[in-house]
Every structure is written in structure tokens, then in C-alpha cells.
Amino acid sequence: LALLDQGEEFYARARATAKAFVQERYGLAKDPNARMFVFLGRWVKQKGVDYIADVAEWMLRNYPTAQLVMIGPVGDCYGSYARAKLESLKRTGLYTESLFVHADFLEV
């Protein structure tokens, strides 16, 4: 219960620390002002991974401080589509510091 009464400054520091950890761990640019979008779950139609894959390049190109982290196992053909599209985008080399893709289970 005491953790709930820490105040906004405590939570701001905790968020900044968590963001820095994710950026370091997954090879993203270390930017405290980055807008980080994280998808963690099964890559299936129900969760809209195909839509995320379709807008990823546009988002990263038009919002230079955006970072996208995609982690989880492929669960259907929509997930396969998303994996192919996101891995292809990663291979271009244009978004190496703003895109992390791991289409499988990941040990943390």
C-alpha cells in the first residue's frame, strides 16, 4: 500500500528507468523523450498485428521520436503477415534504433 502513495515524481523516475532499460536491452536509441509503443502478445488478427505492421513504417518515418517494440509468437496468417512485413522493414536498416521485432516467445 505504501507503494501507491509514492507521488508523481517517483512514478516519473520509474517510467524513465524502465524506458532506458528497454531501449538498452533491445538496441533502441537511448532517448528519454521517445514515444515508445510496445506490443507484447500473440500475433493474431484479433489483436490487430496486421494493422500495426501496415502503419509501422509510416509511424516511424513521420514521428522520428517514435519507437516500436513487437514481441510475441505468431498465431495465425495475420501474424505471419505482420512478421514478414516488420522483419522486412527492420532489414532495410532505416529503423535500427527505433524498431525491435521478435516474433516468438522471449525469455526475459
Side-chain angles (χ1 to χ4, degrees):
L1 188 60
L3 185 61
L4 297 176
D5 296 327
Q6 294 296 317
E8 185 59 33
E9 186 177 311
F10 171 81
Y11 293 112
R13 278 194 316 272
R15 282 191 301 273
T17 300
K19 181 185 280 186
F21 174 80
V22 170
Q23 290 170 333
E24 173 75 26
R25 173 94 182 218
Y26 299 118
L28 302 173
K30 293 176 189 122
D31 179 359
N33 298 313
R35 301 290 289 191
M36 186 177 293
F37 300 88
V38 178
F39 178 90
L40 181 62
R42 288 178 305 115
W43 293 26
V44 295
K45 177 182 180 173
Q46 181 182 21
K47 297 183 180 186
V49 292
D50 53 320
Y51 295 124
I52 296 170
D54 284 341
V55 301
E57 183 174 12
W58 172 86
M59 181 181 78
L60 295 173
R61 183 176 2 100
N62 289 293
Y63 296 92
T65 62
Q67 296 179 333
L68 178 60
V69 177
M70 298 286 296
I71 301 172
V74 169
D76 62 16
C77 62
Y78 292 86
S80 295
Y81 167 82
R83 176 182 55 202
K85 192 154 189 172
L86 291 167
E87 286 179 349
S88 175
L89 183 59
K90 184 74 173 172
R91 281 193 303 274
T92 68
L94 296 173
Y95 304 105
T96 56
E97 292 190 325
S98 57
L99 176 63
F100 177 80
V101 178
H102 187 81
D104 203 350
F105 291 106
L106 184 65
E107 187 175 325
V108 180

